[in-house]
Amino acid sequence: MLDAAREVVLAVGVRRTTLTDVARRAGLSRMTIYRRWPDVHALVADLMTREWLRVADRFATEDPVTAAVATVGALRGHPLWRKIVEVDPELLLPYLLWRRGASQEVMLSLVGSAVARGQERGTVRPGDR
């Protein structure tokens, strides 16, 4: 279902994505999707979380600075990120200005773990994480 949602968002953007389109693309009924997500916004939020964490996870074992630079670069080039920025940038405003989403919480945890690893290896100075 998330793969189908990704395809639809990449084709038409978030604002024009419907659960009907996602269900059709996935070869499922709308009710199957409604059993898991109450609306298209929740589905897209889970899709974004999955996609961003896949990117961040690729660099999780690297030096914290290298990982941060690589993750930001990979996110900037990610097709879903680019589609949202180009077509539906207002979707990102709440996460930039008012609230932290699930992706941000996990990313903060990854950064904390990377800093701790760097401190253990001596590549990051001691101090609060």
Side-chain angles (χ1 to χ4, degrees):
M1 289 183 267
L2 289 175
D3 290 339
R6 185 180 193 274
E7 291 174 19
V8 174
V9 170
L10 288 175
V12 300
V14 173
R15 208 174 348 182
R16 293 182 52 209
T17 295
T18 66
L19 287 180
T20 301
D21 292 335
V22 173
R24 188 177 303 121
R25 182 76 57 126
L28 302 168
S29 72
R30 277 189 1 233
M31 287 313 299
T32 300
I33 295 184
Y34 274 117
R35 285 186 192 106
R36 181 111 186 236
W37 292 279
D39 54 39
V40 74
H41 299 292
L43 173 61
V44 170
D46 282 354
L47 171 63
M48 289 189 305
T49 297
R50 180 189 79 170
E51 295 294 314
W52 310 158
L53 296 183
R54 280 182 175 174
V55 168
D57 201 40
R58 291 192 337 224
F59 305 106
T61 60
E62 294 184 25
D63 158 71
V65 174
T66 303
V69 171
T71 299
V72 169
L75 282 172
R76 288 186 69 205
H78 192 286
L80 185 64
W81 178 266
R82 289 179 42 207
K83 184 69 169 190
I84 291 169
V85 168
E86 291 169 7
V87 178
D88 302 304
E90 71 283 352
L91 178 71
L92 300 173
L93 280 177
Y95 301 103
L96 295 172
L97 300 175
W98 300 295
R99 66 179 292 262
R100 284 198 305 228
S103 301
Q104 291 153 309
E105 292 295 336
V106 174
M107 294 265 191
L108 286 171
S109 175
L110 290 173
V111 169
S113 296
V115 169
R117 273 193 318 279
Q119 288 174 334
E120 289 167 7
R121 295 176 184 165
T123 58
V124 174
R125 67 178 170 80
D128 292 338
R129 296 180 192 156

Coordinates of all heavy atoms in Angstrom, one line a residue, residues 6-100:
R6 N 3.3 5.8 -2.8 CA 4.5 6.5 -3.4 C 4.3 6.8 -4.8 O 4.6 7.9 -5.3 CB 5.7 5.7 -3.1 CG 7.0 6.3 -3.5 CD 8.2 5.4 -3.2 NE 9.4 6.0 -3.2 CZ 10.2 6.2 -4.3 NH1 9.7 5.7 -5.5 NH2 11.3 6.8 -4.3
E7 N 3.9 5.8 -5.6 CA 3.7 5.9 -7.0 C 2.7 7.0 -7.4 O 2.9 7.8 -8.3 CB 3.3 4.6 -7.7 CG 4.3 3.6 -7.6 CD 3.8 2.2 -8.1 OE1 2.8 2.2 -8.8 OE2 4.5 1.2 -7.8
V8 N 1.6 7.0 -6.6 CA 0.5 8.1 -6.9 C 1.0 9.4 -6.5 O 0.8 10.4 -7.3 CB -0.8 7.7 -6.1 CG1 -1.8 8.8 -6.3 CG2 -1.4 6.4 -6.6
V9 N 1.7 9.6 -5.4 CA 2.2 10.9 -5.0 C 3.2 11.4 -6.0 O 3.2 12.6 -6.4 CB 2.8 10.9 -3.6 CG1 3.6 12.2 -3.3 CG2 1.7 10.7 -2.5
L10 N 4.1 10.5 -6.5 CA 5.1 10.9 -7.5 C 4.4 11.3 -8.8 O 4.9 12.2 -9.5 CB 6.1 9.8 -7.7 CG 7.1 9.6 -6.6 CD1 8.0 8.4 -6.9 CD2 7.9 10.8 -6.3
A11 N 3.3 10.7 -9.1 CA 2.6 11.1 -10.3 C 1.8 12.4 -10.2 O 1.8 13.2 -11.2 CB 1.6 9.9 -10.7
V12 N 1.1 12.6 -9.1 CA 0.2 13.8 -9.1 C 0.4 14.7 -7.9 O -0.3 15.7 -7.8 CB -1.3 13.3 -9.0 CG1 -1.6 12.5 -10.3 CG2 -1.6 12.5 -7.8
G13 N 1.3 14.4 -7.0 CA 1.5 15.2 -5.8 C 0.6 14.8 -4.7 O -0.4 14.0 -4.9
V14 N 0.9 15.3 -3.5 CA 0.1 14.9 -2.3 C -1.3 15.4 -2.3 O -2.2 14.7 -2.1 CB 0.8 15.4 -1.0 CG1 0.0 15.2 0.2 CG2 2.2 14.8 -0.8
R15 N -1.5 16.7 -2.7 CA -2.8 17.3 -2.6 C -3.8 16.6 -3.5 O -5.0 16.5 -3.2 CB -2.7 18.8 -3.1 CG -3.7 19.7 -2.5 CD -3.4 21.1 -2.9 NE -2.0 21.2 -3.4 CZ -1.4 22.3 -3.8 NH1 -2.1 23.4 -3.7 NH2 -0.2 22.3 -4.3
R16 N -3.3 16.0 -4.6 CA -4.2 15.4 -5.6 C -4.3 13.9 -5.4 O -5.0 13.2 -6.1 CB -3.8 15.7 -7.0 CG -4.0 17.2 -7.3 CD -3.7 17.6 -8.7 NE -4.3 16.8 -9.7 CZ -3.8 16.5 -10.9 NH1 -2.7 17.0 -11.3 NH2 -4.5 15.8 -11.7
T17 N -3.6 13.3 -4.4 CA -3.6 11.9 -4.1 C -4.9 11.6 -3.3 O -5.2 12.3 -2.4 CB -2.4 11.5 -3.3 OG1 -1.2 11.7 -4.1 CG2 -2.5 10.1 -2.9
T18 N -5.6 10.5 -3.8 CA -6.8 10.1 -3.0 C -6.6 8.6 -2.6 O -5.8 7.9 -3.3 CB -8.0 10.2 -3.9 OG1 -7.9 9.2 -5.0 CG2 -8.2 11.6 -4.4
L19 N -7.3 8.2 -1.6 CA -7.2 6.8 -1.2 C -7.8 5.9 -2.3 O -7.3 4.8 -2.5 CB -8.0 6.5 0.1 CG -7.3 7.1 1.3 CD1 -8.1 6.8 2.6 CD2 -5.9 6.5 1.5
T20 N -8.7 6.4 -3.1 CA -9.2 5.6 -4.2 C -8.1 5.3 -5.3 O -8.0 4.2 -5.7 CB -10.4 6.4 -4.9 OG1 -11.4 6.6 -3.9 CG2 -10.9 5.6 -6.1
D21 N -7.3 6.4 -5.6 CA -6.2 6.2 -6.5 C -5.2 5.2 -6.0 O -4.7 4.4 -6.7 CB -5.5 7.5 -6.8 CG -6.4 8.5 -7.6 OD1 -7.3 8.0 -8.3 OD2 -6.2 9.7 -7.5
V22 N -4.9 5.3 -4.7 CA -3.9 4.4 -4.1 C -4.5 3.0 -4.1 O -3.7 2.0 -4.4 CB -3.6 4.8 -2.6 CG1 -2.7 3.8 -1.9 CG2 -2.9 6.2 -2.6
A23 N -5.7 2.8 -3.7 CA -6.3 1.5 -3.7 C -6.3 0.9 -5.2 O -5.9 -0.3 -5.3 CB -7.8 1.5 -3.2
R24 N -6.6 1.7 -6.1 CA -6.6 1.2 -7.5 C -5.2 0.8 -7.9 O -5.0 -0.3 -8.5 CB -7.1 2.3 -8.4 CG -7.3 1.9 -9.9 CD -7.9 3.0 -10.8 NE -9.2 3.4 -10.2 CZ -9.4 4.7 -9.9 NH1 -8.5 5.6 -10.0 NH2 -10.6 5.1 -9.4
R25 N -4.2 1.6 -7.6 CA -2.8 1.3 -7.9 C -2.3 0.0 -7.2 O -1.6 -0.7 -7.8 CB -1.9 2.5 -7.6 CG -0.5 2.4 -7.9 CD -0.1 2.6 -9.3 NE -0.6 3.9 -9.9 CZ 0.2 4.8 -10.5 NH1 1.4 4.5 -10.6 NH2 -0.4 5.9 -10.9
A26 N -2.8 -0.2 -6.0 CA -2.4 -1.3 -5.2 C -3.2 -2.6 -5.6 O -2.8 -3.7 -5.1 CB -2.5 -1.0 -3.7
G27 N -4.3 -2.4 -6.3 CA -5.1 -3.6 -6.6 C -5.9 -4.0 -5.4 O -6.2 -5.2 -5.3
L28 N -6.3 -3.1 -4.6 CA -7.1 -3.4 -3.3 C -8.3 -2.6 -3.3 O -8.5 -1.6 -4.1 CB -6.2 -3.0 -2.1 CG -4.9 -3.7 -2.0 CD1 -4.1 -3.0 -0.9 CD2 -5.1 -5.2 -1.7
S29 N -9.2 -2.9 -2.4 CA -10.4 -2.1 -2.2 C -10.1 -0.9 -1.3 O -9.1 -0.9 -0.5 CB -11.5 -2.9 -1.5 OG -11.2 -3.1 -0.2
R30 N -10.8 0.2 -1.4 CA -10.6 1.3 -0.5 C -10.8 0.9 0.9 O -10.1 1.4 1.8 CB -11.7 2.4 -0.8 CG -11.2 3.3 -2.0 CD -12.1 4.5 -2.2 NE -13.2 4.7 -1.2 CZ -14.5 4.8 -1.6 NH1 -14.8 4.9 -2.8 NH2 -15.4 5.0 -0.7
M31 N -11.7 0.0 1.2 CA -11.9 -0.4 2.6 C -10.7 -1.0 3.2 O -10.4 -0.9 4.4 CB -13.1 -1.3 2.7 CG -14.5 -0.6 2.6 SD -14.6 0.9 3.5 CE -14.4 0.3 5.2
T32 N -9.9 -1.8 2.4 CA -8.7 -2.4 2.9 C -7.7 -1.3 3.4 O -7.1 -1.4 4.4 CB -8.1 -3.2 1.8 OG1 -9.0 -4.3 1.4 CG2 -6.8 -3.9 2.2
I33 N -7.7 -0.2 2.6 CA -6.8 0.9 3.0 C -7.3 1.6 4.2 O -6.6 1.9 5.2 CB -6.5 1.8 1.8 CG1 -5.8 1.0 0.8 CG2 -5.8 3.1 2.3 CD1 -5.3 1.8 -0.4
Y34 N -8.7 1.8 4.3 CA -9.3 2.5 5.4 C -9.1 1.7 6.7 O -9.2 2.3 7.8 CB -10.8 2.8 5.2 CG -11.0 4.0 4.4 CD1 -11.6 4.0 3.1 CD2 -10.7 5.3 4.9 CE1 -11.9 5.1 2.4 CE2 -11.0 6.4 4.2 CZ -11.6 6.4 3.0 OH -11.8 7.5 2.3
R35 N -8.9 0.4 6.6 CA -8.7 -0.4 7.8 C -7.4 0.0 8.5 O -7.2 -0.2 9.7 CB -8.8 -1.9 7.5 CG -10.1 -2.4 7.3 CD -10.1 -3.9 7.1 NE -11.4 -4.3 6.6 CZ -11.7 -4.7 5.4 NH1 -10.7 -4.8 4.5 NH2 -12.9 -5.1 5.0
R36 N -6.5 0.5 7.7 CA -5.1 0.8 8.2 C -4.9 2.3 8.4 O -4.2 2.7 9.3 CB -4.1 0.2 7.2 CG -2.7 0.5 7.6 CD -2.0 -0.8 7.9 NE -0.7 -0.6 8.4 CZ 0.4 -1.1 7.9 NH1 0.3 -1.9 6.9 NH2 1.6 -0.8 8.5
W37 N -5.5 3.1 7.6 CA -5.3 4.6 7.6 C -6.7 5.2 7.6 O -7.5 4.9 6.7 CB -4.4 5.1 6.5 CG -3.0 4.6 6.6 CD1 -2.0 5.2 7.3 CD2 -2.4 3.5 5.9 NE1 -0.9 4.5 7.2 CE2 -1.1 3.5 6.3 CE3 -2.9 2.6 5.0 CZ2 -0.2 2.5 5.8 CZ3 -2.0 1.6 4.5 CH2 -0.7 1.6 4.9
P38 N -6.9 6.2 8.5 CA -8.2 6.9 8.5 C -8.4 7.8 7.3 O -9.6 8.1 6.9 CB -8.2 7.7 9.8 CG -6.7 7.9 10.1 CD -6.0 6.7 9.5
D39 N -7.3 8.3 6.7 CA -7.4 9.3 5.6 C -6.1 9.3 4.8 O -5.1 8.7 5.3 CB -7.8 10.7 6.1 CG -6.9 11.2 7.2 OD1 -5.6 11.0 7.1 OD2 -7.4 11.8 8.1
V40 N -6.1 10.0 3.7 CA -4.9 10.1 2.9 C -3.8 10.8 3.6 O -2.6 10.5 3.4 CB -5.3 10.7 1.5 CG1 -5.5 12.2 1.6 CG2 -4.2 10.4 0.5
H41 N -4.1 11.7 4.5 CA -3.0 12.4 5.2 C -2.2 11.5 6.1 O -1.0 11.6 6.1 CB -3.5 13.6 6.0 CG -4.2 14.6 5.1 ND1 -3.5 15.4 4.2 CD2 -5.5 14.9 5.0 CE1 -4.4 16.2 3.6 NE2 -5.6 15.9 4.0
A42 N -2.9 10.6 6.8 CA -2.2 9.6 7.6 C -1.4 8.6 6.8 O -0.2 8.3 7.2 CB -3.2 8.9 8.5
L43 N -1.9 8.3 5.7 CA -1.2 7.4 4.8 C 0.1 8.0 4.2 O 1.2 7.5 4.3 CB -2.1 7.0 3.6 CG -1.4 6.2 2.5 CD1 -0.9 4.8 3.0 CD2 -2.4 5.9 1.3
V44 N 0.0 9.3 3.8 CA 1.1 10.0 3.3 C 2.2 10.3 4.4 O 3.4 10.2 4.2 CB 0.7 11.3 2.6 CG1 1.9 12.2 2.3 CG2 -0.1 11.0 1.3
A45 N 1.7 10.5 5.6 CA 2.6 10.7 6.7 C 3.4 9.4 7.0 O 4.7 9.5 7.2 CB 1.8 11.1 8.0
D46 N 2.8 8.3 6.9 CA 3.5 7.0 7.1 C 4.5 6.8 5.9 O 5.6 6.3 6.1 CB 2.5 5.9 7.3 CG 1.9 5.8 8.6 OD1 2.4 6.5 9.5 OD2 1.1 4.9 8.8
L47 N 4.0 7.2 4.7 CA 4.9 7.0 3.6 C 6.2 7.9 3.7 O 7.3 7.4 3.5 CB 4.2 7.4 2.3 CG 5.0 7.6 1.0 CD1 5.6 6.2 0.7 CD2 4.2 8.1 -0.1
M48 N 6.0 9.1 4.1 CA 7.1 10.0 4.3 C 8.1 9.5 5.4 O 9.3 9.5 5.2 CB 6.7 11.4 4.6 CG 6.0 12.1 3.5 SD 5.7 13.9 3.7 CE 4.7 13.9 5.2
T49 N 7.5 9.0 6.5 CA 8.3 8.4 7.6 C 9.1 7.3 7.0 O 10.3 7.2 7.3 CB 7.4 8.0 8.8 OG1 6.8 9.1 9.3 CG2 8.3 7.3 9.8
R50 N 8.5 6.4 6.3 CA 9.2 5.2 5.8 C 10.4 5.7 4.9 O 11.5 5.2 5.0 CB 8.3 4.3 5.0 CG 9.0 3.1 4.4 CD 8.2 2.3 3.5 NE 8.1 3.0 2.1 CZ 7.6 2.4 1.1 NH1 7.1 1.2 1.2 NH2 7.6 3.0 -0.1
E51 N 10.1 6.6 3.9 CA 11.0 7.0 3.0 C 12.2 7.7 3.6 O 13.4 7.5 3.3 CB 10.4 7.9 1.9 CG 9.4 7.2 1.1 CD 10.0 6.1 0.2 OE1 11.0 6.3 -0.5 OE2 9.4 5.0 0.2
W52 N 11.9 8.7 4.5 CA 13.0 9.5 5.1 C 13.9 8.6 6.0 O 15.1 8.7 6.0 CB 12.5 10.6 6.0 CG 11.5 11.5 5.3 CD1 10.6 12.3 6.0 CD2 11.2 11.8 3.9 NE1 9.9 13.1 5.1 CE2 10.2 12.8 3.9 CE3 11.8 11.3 2.8 CZ2 9.7 13.3 2.6 CZ3 11.3 11.8 1.5 CH2 10.3 12.8 1.5
L53 N 13.3 7.6 6.7 CA 14.1 6.7 7.6 C 14.9 5.8 6.8 O 16.0 5.4 7.2 CB 13.2 6.0 8.6 CG 12.5 7.0 9.6 CD1 11.7 6.2 10.6 CD2 13.5 7.9 10.3
R54 N 14.4 5.3 5.6 CA 15.2 4.5 4.8 C 16.5 5.2 4.3 O 17.6 4.7 4.3 CB 14.5 4.1 3.5 CG 13.5 3.0 3.7 CD 12.8 2.6 2.4 NE 12.0 1.4 2.6 CZ 11.2 0.9 1.6 NH1 11.1 1.5 0.5 NH2 10.5 -0.1 1.9
V55 N 16.3 6.5 4.0 CA 17.5 7.3 3.7 C 18.5 7.4 4.8 O 19.7 7.2 4.7 CB 17.1 8.7 3.2 CG1 18.3 9.6 3.0 CG2 16.3 8.6 1.8
A56 N 18.0 7.8 6.0 CA 18.8 8.1 7.2 C 19.5 6.8 7.6 O 20.6 6.8 8.0 CB 18.0 8.6 8.3
D57 N 18.8 5.7 7.5 CA 19.3 4.4 8.0 C 20.5 3.9 7.2 O 21.4 3.2 7.7 CB 18.2 3.3 8.0 CG 18.5 2.2 8.9 OD1 19.0 2.4 10.0 OD2 18.2 1.0 8.5
R58 N 20.6 4.3 5.9 CA 21.7 3.9 5.1 C 23.0 4.5 5.6 O 24.1 3.9 5.4 CB 21.5 4.5 3.7 CG 20.4 3.8 2.9 CD 20.4 4.1 1.4 NE 21.1 5.4 1.0 CZ 20.6 6.2 0.1 NH1 19.4 6.0 -0.4 NH2 21.3 7.3 -0.2
F59 N 23.0 5.6 6.4 CA 24.2 6.2 6.9 C 24.4 6.1 8.4 O 25.3 6.7 8.9 CB 24.1 7.7 6.5 CG 23.9 7.9 5.0 CD1 22.7 8.4 4.5 CD2 24.9 7.6 4.1 CE1 22.5 8.6 3.2 CE2 24.7 7.8 2.7 CZ 23.5 8.3 2.3
A60 N 23.5 5.3 9.0 CA 23.5 5.2 10.5 C 24.8 4.7 11.1 O 25.1 5.1 12.2 CB 22.4 4.3 10.9
T61 N 25.6 4.0 10.4 CA 26.8 3.5 11.0 C 28.1 4.3 10.8 O 29.1 4.1 11.3 CB 27.1 2.0 10.5 OG1 27.3 2.1 9.1 CG2 26.0 1.1 10.9
E62 N 27.9 5.4 10.0 CA 29.0 6.2 9.6 C 29.3 7.2 10.7 O 28.5 7.4 11.7 CB 28.7 7.0 8.3 CG 28.7 6.1 7.1 CD 28.5 6.8 5.8 OE1 28.9 8.0 5.8 OE2 27.9 6.2 4.9
D63 N 30.5 7.9 10.6 CA 30.8 9.0 11.5 C 29.7 10.0 11.5 O 29.0 10.3 10.4 CB 32.1 9.7 10.9 CG 32.3 11.1 11.3 OD1 32.6 11.3 12.5 OD2 32.1 12.0 10.5
P64 N 29.3 10.6 12.6 CA 28.1 11.5 12.7 C 28.1 12.6 11.7 O 27.1 12.9 11.1 CB 28.2 12.1 14.1 CG 29.0 11.1 14.9 CD 30.0 10.5 13.9
V65 N 29.3 13.3 11.5 CA 29.3 14.4 10.5 C 29.1 13.9 9.1 O 28.3 14.4 8.3 CB 30.6 15.2 10.7 CG1 30.7 16.2 9.6 CG2 30.7 15.8 12.0
T66 N 29.8 12.8 8.7 CA 29.6 12.2 7.4 C 28.2 11.8 7.2 O 27.6 12.0 6.1 CB 30.6 11.0 7.2 OG1 31.9 11.5 7.5 CG2 30.5 10.4 5.9
A67 N 27.6 11.2 8.2 CA 26.2 10.7 8.1 C 25.3 11.8 8.0 O 24.3 11.7 7.1 CB 25.9 9.9 9.4
A68 N 25.4 12.9 8.7 CA 24.5 14.1 8.6 C 24.6 14.7 7.2 O 23.6 14.9 6.6 CB 24.9 15.1 9.7
V69 N 25.8 14.9 6.7 CA 26.0 15.5 5.4 C 25.4 14.5 4.3 O 24.6 15.0 3.4 CB 27.4 15.8 5.1 CG1 27.7 16.2 3.7 CG2 27.9 16.9 6.0
A70 N 25.7 13.3 4.4 CA 25.1 12.3 3.4 C 23.6 12.2 3.5 O 23.0 12.1 2.4 CB 25.8 10.9 3.6
T71 N 23.1 12.2 4.7 CA 21.6 12.1 4.8 C 20.9 13.3 4.2 O 20.0 13.2 3.5 CB 21.2 11.9 6.3 OG1 21.8 10.7 6.8 CG2 19.7 11.8 6.5
V72 N 21.4 14.5 4.5 CA 20.8 15.7 4.0 C 20.9 15.7 2.5 O 19.9 16.0 1.8 CB 21.4 17.0 4.6 CG1 21.0 18.2 3.9 CG2 21.1 17.1 6.1
G73 N 22.1 15.3 2.0 CA 22.2 15.3 0.5 C 21.3 14.3 -0.1 O 20.7 14.6 -1.2
A74 N 21.2 13.1 0.5 CA 20.3 12.1 -0.1 C 18.8 12.5 0.0 O 18.0 12.3 -0.9 CB 20.5 10.8 0.6
L75 N 18.4 13.2 1.1 CA 17.0 13.6 1.2 C 16.7 14.7 0.2 O 15.6 14.7 -0.5 CB 16.8 14.2 2.6 CG 16.5 13.1 3.7 CD1 16.5 13.8 5.1 CD2 15.3 12.3 3.4
R76 N 17.6 15.6 0.0 CA 17.4 16.7 -1.0 C 17.2 16.1 -2.4 O 16.5 16.7 -3.2 CB 18.6 17.7 -1.0 CG 18.6 18.5 0.2 CD 19.7 19.6 0.1 NE 19.3 20.6 -0.9 CZ 20.2 21.3 -1.5 NH1 21.4 21.2 -1.3 NH2 19.8 22.1 -2.4
G77 N 17.9 15.0 -2.7 CA 17.7 14.4 -4.1 C 16.6 13.3 -4.1 O 16.4 12.8 -5.2
H78 N 16.0 13.0 -3.0 CA 15.0 12.0 -3.0 C 13.8 12.4 -3.9 O 13.3 13.5 -3.7 CB 14.6 11.7 -1.6 CG 13.7 10.5 -1.4 ND1 12.4 10.4 -1.8 CD2 14.1 9.3 -0.9 CE1 12.0 9.2 -1.5 NE2 12.9 8.5 -0.9
P79 N 13.3 11.5 -4.7 CA 12.2 11.9 -5.6 C 10.9 12.3 -4.9 O 10.3 13.3 -5.3 CB 11.9 10.6 -6.4 CG 13.0 9.7 -6.2 CD 13.8 10.2 -5.0
L80 N 10.6 11.7 -3.8 CA 9.4 12.1 -3.0 C 9.6 13.5 -2.4 O 8.7 14.3 -2.5 CB 9.1 11.0 -2.0 CG 7.8 11.2 -1.2 CD1 6.6 11.2 -2.1 CD2 7.7 10.2 -0.1
W81 N 10.7 13.7 -1.8 CA 11.0 15.0 -1.2 C 10.9 16.1 -2.3 O 10.3 17.1 -2.1 CB 12.4 15.0 -0.6 CG 12.8 16.3 0.0 CD1 13.5 17.3 -0.6 CD2 12.5 16.8 1.3 NE1 13.7 18.4 0.2 CE2 13.0 18.1 1.4 CE3 11.7 16.3 2.4 CZ2 12.9 18.9 2.5 CZ3 11.6 17.1 3.5 CH2 12.2 18.4 3.6
R82 N 11.5 15.8 -3.4 CA 11.5 16.8 -4.5 C 10.1 17.1 -5.0 O 9.8 18.2 -5.3 CB 12.4 16.4 -5.6 CG 13.9 16.5 -5.2 CD 14.9 16.0 -6.3 NE 14.6 16.5 -7.6 CZ 14.9 15.8 -8.7 NH1 15.6 14.7 -8.6 NH2 14.6 16.3 -9.9
K83 N 9.3 16.0 -5.1 CA 7.9 16.2 -5.6 C 7.2 17.1 -4.6 O 6.4 18.0 -5.0 CB 7.2 14.9 -5.8 CG 5.8 15.0 -6.3 CD 5.9 15.4 -7.8 CE 4.6 15.2 -8.4 NZ 4.6 15.5 -9.9
I84 N 7.3 16.8 -3.3 CA 6.6 17.6 -2.3 C 7.1 19.0 -2.3 O 6.2 20.0 -2.3 CB 6.8 17.0 -0.9 CG1 6.0 15.6 -0.8 CG2 6.3 17.9 0.2 CD1 6.4 14.8 0.4
V85 N 8.4 19.3 -2.4 CA 8.9 20.6 -2.4 C 8.4 21.4 -3.6 O 8.0 22.6 -3.6 CB 10.4 20.6 -2.3 CG1 11.0 22.0 -2.6 CG2 10.9 20.2 -0.9
E86 N 8.4 20.7 -4.8 CA 8.0 21.4 -6.0 C 6.5 21.6 -6.1 O 6.0 22.6 -6.7 CB 8.4 20.5 -7.2 CG 9.9 20.5 -7.4 CD 10.4 19.5 -8.4 OE1 9.6 18.8 -9.1 OE2 11.7 19.3 -8.5
V87 N 5.7 20.6 -5.7 CA 4.2 20.7 -5.9 C 3.4 21.1 -4.6 O 2.4 21.8 -4.7 CB 3.7 19.3 -6.5 CG1 2.2 19.3 -6.7 CG2 4.4 19.0 -7.8
D88 N 3.8 20.6 -3.5 CA 3.0 20.8 -2.2 C 3.9 21.2 -1.1 O 3.9 20.6 0.0 CB 2.3 19.5 -1.8 CG 1.4 18.9 -2.9 OD1 0.5 19.6 -3.3 OD2 1.6 17.8 -3.3
P89 N 4.7 22.3 -1.3 CA 5.6 22.7 -0.2 C 4.9 23.1 1.1 O 5.5 22.9 2.2 CB 6.3 23.9 -0.8 CG 5.4 24.4 -1.8 CD 4.7 23.2 -2.4
E90 N 3.7 23.5 1.1 CA 3.0 23.9 2.3 C 2.8 22.7 3.2 O 2.6 22.9 4.4 CB 1.6 24.5 2.0 CG 0.6 23.6 1.4 CD 0.7 23.2 -0.1 OE1 1.6 23.8 -0.7 OE2 0.0 22.4 -0.5
L91 N 2.9 21.5 2.7 CA 2.8 20.3 3.5 C 3.9 20.2 4.5 O 3.7 19.7 5.6 CB 2.8 19.1 2.6 CG 2.8 17.7 3.2 CD1 1.4 17.5 3.8 CD2 3.1 16.6 2.2
L92 N 5.0 20.8 4.2 CA 6.2 20.7 5.1 C 6.2 21.8 6.2 O 6.9 21.6 7.2 CB 7.5 20.8 4.3 CG 7.7 19.8 3.3 CD1 8.9 20.1 2.4 CD2 7.8 18.4 3.9
L93 N 5.4 22.8 6.1 CA 5.4 24.0 7.0 C 5.2 23.6 8.5 O 5.9 24.0 9.3 CB 4.5 25.1 6.6 CG 5.0 26.0 5.5 CD1 4.0 27.0 5.1 CD2 6.3 26.7 5.9
P94 N 4.1 22.8 8.7 CA 3.9 22.4 10.1 C 5.1 21.7 10.8 O 5.4 22.0 12.0 CB 2.7 21.5 10.1 CG 2.0 21.8 8.8 CD 3.1 22.2 7.9
Y95 N 5.8 20.9 10.0 CA 7.0 20.2 10.6 C 8.2 21.1 10.7 O 9.1 20.8 11.5 CB 7.3 19.0 9.7 CG 6.1 18.0 9.6 CD1 5.3 18.0 8.4 CD2 5.8 17.2 10.6 CE1 4.2 17.1 8.3 CE2 4.7 16.3 10.5 CZ 3.9 16.3 9.4 OH 2.9 15.5 9.3
L96 N 8.2 22.1 10.0 CA 9.3 23.1 10.1 C 9.1 24.1 11.1 O 10.1 24.6 11.7 CB 9.6 23.8 8.7 CG 10.0 22.9 7.6 CD1 10.0 23.7 6.3 CD2 11.4 22.3 7.9
L97 N 7.8 24.4 11.4 CA 7.5 25.6 12.3 C 6.9 25.2 13.6 O 7.1 25.9 14.6 CB 6.6 26.6 11.6 CG 7.2 27.2 10.3 CD1 6.1 28.0 9.6 CD2 8.4 27.9 10.5
W98 N 6.0 24.2 13.7 CA 5.2 24.0 14.9 C 5.3 22.6 15.5 O 5.1 22.5 16.7 CB 3.7 24.2 14.5 CG 3.5 25.6 14.0 CD1 3.6 26.8 14.7 CD2 3.1 26.0 12.7 NE1 3.4 27.8 13.9 CE2 3.0 27.4 12.7 CE3 2.8 25.3 11.6 CZ2 2.6 28.1 11.6 CZ3 2.4 26.0 10.4 CH2 2.3 27.4 10.4
R99 N 5.6 21.6 14.8 CA 5.5 20.3 15.4 C 6.6 19.4 14.9 O 7.1 19.6 13.8 CB 4.2 19.6 15.3 CG 3.8 19.3 13.8 CD 2.5 18.6 13.7 NE 2.4 17.3 14.3 CZ 2.6 16.2 13.6 NH1 2.7 16.2 12.3 NH2 2.5 15.0 14.3
R100 N 6.9 18.4 15.7 CA 7.8 17.3 15.3 C 7.0 16.1 14.9 O 6.1 15.7 15.7 CB 8.8 16.9 16.3 CG 9.9 18.0 16.5 CD 11.1 17.4 17.2 NE 10.9 16.9 18.5 CZ 11.6 17.2 19.6 NH1 12.6 18.0 19.5 NH2 11.3 16.6 20.7

